Amino acid sequence: MNDNIASGVDRRTALGAIGAVGLIGAGGVSAAAGVAGVAILRPEEAGWDAAKGEYTLPALPYATNALEPHIDARTMEIHHDRHHKAYVDGANAALKELARIRDGQEKPVLVKFWSRELAFHASGHFNHSLFWQVMASPKSGGGAAPTGELAGAIDRDFGSFEKFVGHFKEAARQVEGSGWGWLVYQPMSGKLLVLQGEKQQDMTVWGAVPLMGVDVWEHAYYLQYQNKRPDYIAAFLNVVNWARVGEFYQRARGGK
């Protein structure tokens, strides 16, 4: 983990910070940037305050009830305002403690602990920042099928959109414990992949860039779906904003 992320004061530094710590449970898959520095989320979308050099909680891009009946307003409120905020606070705390260690105010032996804390909390922050972005109300296009180059890439790499959906549902359903199901782009092969993620940062495929993910921690669905994770995953697919995912696909491939 690169401690220099604490000093970002401009766009390049902010993106560097995002790339350094935006690792997701599918591992090494950065919600903000791939290893090659591909910007998926802009700093303002990902909740990075360049002037202060710290993370912030980005606002939801829609009302908390916008995704009903598929995802209820109360879950969205708790998920965003409490769970996501906790990751922001945890990431900022880790940044401050690593800075204190560099300044000789804390023991160097604590680098390992605070690096792990940074990996977990900053990954949780960016995973959620992307999660909010890839959903939309059905009235605003949520659940509509992918189009354009993304649709073609899904057909090429999975056989069809229906086959992708089946693969994605099973990958997300079979995550052990808490974690994520991810659609990612791997620049090395130029292919789309479906990956699982455990916690926020485990199971790494370095260099892969996330395009869309579903949070399968119980806090994301238990109020409405209890232990019926497959029902929640199916509901999530009814609000995926594939137009937005298509934009991320273009960014991952070097577009703007």
Side-chain angles (χ1 to χ4, degrees), residues 183-194:
L183 170 66
V184 307
Y185 172 71
Q186 187 180 45
M188 179 173 65
S189 64
K191 293 176 66 68
L192 298 174
L193 303 172
V194 166

Side-chain angles (χ1 to χ4, degrees), residues 30-251:
S30 162
V35 169
V38 179
I40 297 303
L41 292 181
R42 309 303 187 207
E44 61 273 13
E45 296 168 339
W48 174 255
D49 188 325
K52 295 181 178 179
E54 65 181 24
Y55 302 114
T56 62
L57 181 65
L60 288 173
Y62 34 71
T64 55
N65 65 353
L67 306 182
E68 291 185 339
H70 307 291
I71 301 178
D72 65 285
R74 184 59 174 160
T75 293
M76 290 295 294
E77 179 183 351
I78 294 173
H79 197 172
H80 176 268
D81 296 356
R82 299 185 192 179
H83 290 278
H84 189 170
K85 185 179 184 301
Y87 295 126
V88 172
D89 293 343
N92 286 331
L95 289 180
K96 291 177 181 178
E97 291 303 316
L98 288 168
R100 282 168 53 81
I101 292 170
R102 289 194 297 274
D103 291 339
Q105 299 175 21
E106 279 289 354
K107 298 177 181 179
V109 71
L110 293 174
V111 164
K112 183 175 182 178
F113 172 79
W114 286 111
S115 293
R116 286 179 172 176
E117 288 290 291
L118 183 61
F120 177 75
H121 288 286
S123 296
H125 170 45
F126 286 112
N127 295 349
H128 285 83
S129 296
L130 182 63
F131 183 56
W132 312 131
Q133 291 287 329
V134 300
M135 294 185 290
S137 163
K139 295 179 180 178
S140 300
T147 60
E149 293 185 2
L150 177 60
I154 289 173
D155 288 343
R156 178 195 67 207
D157 296 334
F158 299 104
S160 69
F161 180 64
E162 290 71 23
K163 290 181 179 179
F164 157 75
V165 167
H167 185 170
F168 183 81
K169 282 182 174 180
E170 281 302 306
R173 183 186 69 81
Q174 293 180 38
V175 170
E176 294 182 352
S178 299
W180 297 74
W182 291 98
L183 170 66
V184 307
Y185 172 71
Q186 187 180 45
M188 179 173 65
S189 64
K191 293 176 66 68
L192 298 174
L193 303 172
V194 166
L195 299 175
Q196 293 177 309
E198 292 178 0
K199 297 189 293 187
Q200 302 290 359
Q201 78 286 4
D202 289 350
M203 298 179 67
T204 297
V205 175
W206 287 101
V209 183
L211 305 177
M212 181 272 286
V214 59
D215 185 351
V216 292
W217 290 63
E218 288 186 344
H219 64 242
Y221 62 89
Y222 211 83
L223 285 181
Q224 186 171 3
Y225 294 98
Q226 288 80 52
N227 64 331
K228 299 175 182 177
R229 183 188 285 184
D231 291 353
Y232 158 69
I233 296 167
F236 165 78
L237 288 167
N238 286 326
V239 293
V240 172
N241 185 350
W242 284 106
R244 190 76 167 125
V245 178
E247 293 177 21
F248 295 148
Y249 179 58
Q250 292 300 324
R251 293 183 190 181

